[in-house]
Amino acid sequence: MDYTKCEGASDFEAKFKTLIVRLDVVEHEETWQQIDNALKDLTSLVKAGATKLDAFASLMKQASRYLNNAIISERTRLSGTALGLVEEMARQMETRFQPVGDMVFPTVLKTCARANKVFVTRGINCLTTVITYAHAGEQAPRVCMAATADPNKTMRASATKLLMSMVSCCTVPELAPHMAAVEKAISLGVVDANPDARTTSRQTYEIYIKRFADRVDQFHAGLSATAKKYLKIADKTTAGGKGNSNGAHPPSRFAAFRQRLPLSDRMGATKKQEPPAAADAANKESSGPQQRLKPVRPAPVRRDVKATPVPVKPATSVIVAASA
């Protein structure tokens, strides 16, 4: 049976029934390749134009259970094939993808919390493709909840990336019903414990203030002081300072140190000194500038010249006769 062609509703239904039979097996070592091939054939039908049929979305509900099981499979090859099918349906259906998206979006989102980075990367890429082509604005509350309340840091980091894609791709009317959840996710994301989530949330904020400029002031008013610090938003309530009424801060007693003043001036700034007496000031003025005396250095002594000895006269003995 040629699955690369779709020649109408009857042809698609006949081929779809054969695919359901091949998918309706328990996954194990001997059957997973059969499931993988069936999903590949279904992908070929999607590329051939099966999504244009009115009955496509209703028929896909019959295969949603098998598709979701393959998405969360531990086999990377089988999971990759299932995610590829979801991406192709989003490309072909675009905004008509919502009925199918409601069936598979939550399951694909679960792969973004896996410990294996291969599954996480594939899940993010799949949902990014879905958001790019189908917008999927109705999934914004689900993504925002994962970005703020999920205990898994990998899920929070992945969800913030998906939220950034939504803020970038979805139209304003599509996100308008969910703006409260979007703004809450951004405000909590910029202070998240995960550095990747904080970085992505700041990037989402930059996109948000450009696309939703009329909501920026209201959004800033509800931010915490920590969030404003990370977003580098000036707080109007504290911008004027705590000092004078005109907003100027009181002079600090350490201001002289910051101005690099001479040591004498700096010491005077930290410790208030009494003004000198008028008499002392007059004496200093009358004495004029003091001259600095040069120190007197002793003459150098030559070590190579021997000193001439001075002759010493012999002492005269005086004999005093004692009287008898």
Side-chain angles (χ1 to χ4, degrees):
M1 189 173 290
D2 188 4
Y3 292 96
T4 60
K5 296 180 181 180
C6 183
E7 299 176 351
S10 58
D11 181 62
F12 173 71
E13 291 178 5
K15 294 177 180 178
F16 187 80
K17 289 180 181 179
T18 61
L19 293 177
I20 290 296
V21 174
R22 294 162 58 187
L23 291 171
D24 191 14
V25 293
V26 179
E27 177 192 343
H28 52 78
E29 188 64 27
E30 298 180 356
T31 60
W32 75 267
Q33 289 185 346
Q34 173 183 328
I35 300 173
D36 185 74
N37 292 331
L39 293 175
K40 290 180 178 178
D41 292 337
L42 183 56
T43 304
S44 299
L45 284 174
V46 170
K47 292 180 179 179
T51 56
K52 298 178 182 179
L53 302 175
D54 297 335
F56 178 80
S58 59
L59 291 176
M60 280 302 302
K61 290 182 180 180
Q62 302 178 22
S64 61
R65 178 167 61 91
Y66 311 113
L67 179 57
N68 287 328
N69 290 338
I71 290 173
I72 60 176
S73 173
E74 294 294 334
R75 293 178 170 84
T76 56
R77 180 178 171 183
L78 179 59
S79 177
T81 302
L83 293 174
L85 173 59
V86 175
E87 291 184 39
E88 191 59 37
M89 287 190 294
R91 292 191 189 96
Q92 299 295 330
M93 301 183 72
E94 295 184 349
T95 55
R96 297 180 292 109
F97 181 76
Q98 179 178 353
V100 180
D102 294 338
M103 295 183 288
V104 298
F105 197 100
T107 306
V108 180
L109 186 60
K110 291 180 181 179
T111 63
C112 298
R114 304 281 290 270
N116 192 328
K117 292 184 178 181
V118 175
F119 290 100
V120 175
T121 303
R122 287 181 177 179
I124 294 175
N125 292 340
C126 177
L127 292 182
T128 301
T129 303
V130 170
I131 295 170
T132 301
Y133 287 91
H135 295 183
E138 68 280 355
Q139 301 294 337
R142 189 187 306 275
V143 173
C144 293
M145 182 62 66
T148 57
D150 198 285
N152 191 320
K153 64 179 182 179
T154 304
M155 170 61 83
R156 296 199 306 273
S158 303
T160 54
K161 294 179 180 179
L162 301 177
L163 180 61
M164 182 174 65
S165 299
M166 285 186 169
V167 175
S168 302
C169 300
C170 294
T171 62
V172 175
E174 289 172 343
L175 282 183
H178 316 293
M179 284 309 301
V182 172
E183 292 171 350
K184 180 181 178 181
I186 296 174
S187 62
L188 295 179
V190 296
V191 296
D192 193 274
N194 191 328
D196 294 335
R198 293 198 302 268
T199 302
T200 308
S201 297
R202 286 194 295 267
Q203 296 172 353
T204 306
Y205 167 76
E206 297 296 334
I207 301 172
Y208 166 84
I209 60 177
K210 294 178 181 179
R211 299 201 60 196
F212 303 91
D214 56 333
R215 299 180 59 92
V216 172
D217 292 338
Q218 179 181 355
F219 175 66
H220 287 175
L223 289 175
S224 63
T226 307
K228 291 180 180 180
K229 176 182 177 182
Y230 285 142
L231 294 176
K232 299 180 180 180
I233 301 172
D235 192 350
K236 296 181 180 179
T237 60
T238 60
K242 300 180 181 180
N244 303 332
S245 60
N246 57 357
H249 291 275
S252 173
R253 68 189 185 94
F254 298 102
F257 290 90
R258 294 195 295 267
Q259 297 176 2
R260 299 182 180 274
L261 298 177
L263 178 61
S264 59
D265 295 342
R266 282 184 281 166
M267 295 299 294
T270 56
K271 184 178 180 181
K272 187 176 180 180
Q273 299 179 355
E274 296 182 358
D280 296 341
N283 294 334
K284 290 183 180 180
E285 292 179 359
S286 60
S287 61
Q290 297 180 358
Q291 296 181 355
R292 184 177 180 182
L293 300 178
K294 297 182 179 180
V296 179
R297 298 180 180 179
V301 179
R302 297 183 61 179
R303 301 293 182 180
D304 56 342
V305 179
K306 295 183 178 180
T308 304
V310 179
V312 180
K313 296 181 180 181
T316 304
S317 300
V318 179
I319 300 176
V320 179
S323 57

